[in-house]
Amino acid sequence: MSKIIKIKGTEAACGTSSGAASTFSDARLVRLINTSGDTNHLVTVEVAGGTDIGTFTLAFGQDAFVEKDPSDKIFAANAAVLGAPVAFTS
């Protein structure tokens, strides 16, 4: 079953370090997709001060939705991971 999402901003490549991490326009929900042809990439979610909340591996060609606080930031091991602020609709 597919999810219906509301786009809340422009898709962009994830930063590849803590200093380049993004809040994705202070979004509470971010859709991530790994556009790499054959490589899995680590995704990190951190608080605004740079402390990691957690990490996960996003398999190549897969997407994931990350729920976070508006000030939390996301970065990935490679800019092939793209993110966009979204919301689920009913």
Side-chain angles (χ1 to χ4, degrees):
M1 182 167 148
S2 61
K3 296 175 180 75
I4 298 173
I5 59 172
K6 178 179 180 179
I7 304 300
K8 299 185 81 177
T10 303
E11 185 175 69
C14 287
T16 57
S17 66
S18 180
S22 175
T23 66
F24 289 93
S25 301
D26 297 329
R28 290 189 173 277
L29 186 65
V30 177
R31 177 188 180 256
L32 299 172
I33 185 164
N34 182 352
T35 63
S36 172
D38 60 359
T39 306
N40 300 335
H41 292 298
L42 188 69
V43 174
T44 302
V45 181
E46 65 181 18
V47 296
T51 302
D52 290 357
I53 295 170
T55 62
F56 68 96
T57 298
L58 187 58
F60 63 89
Q62 298 298 305
D63 68 348
F65 292 90
V66 175
E67 185 176 14
K68 64 180 199 60
D69 290 333
S71 61
D72 294 343
K73 297 182 177 187
I74 297 173
F75 69 96
N78 189 287
V81 178
L82 307 178
V86 299
F88 288 125
T89 63
S90 52

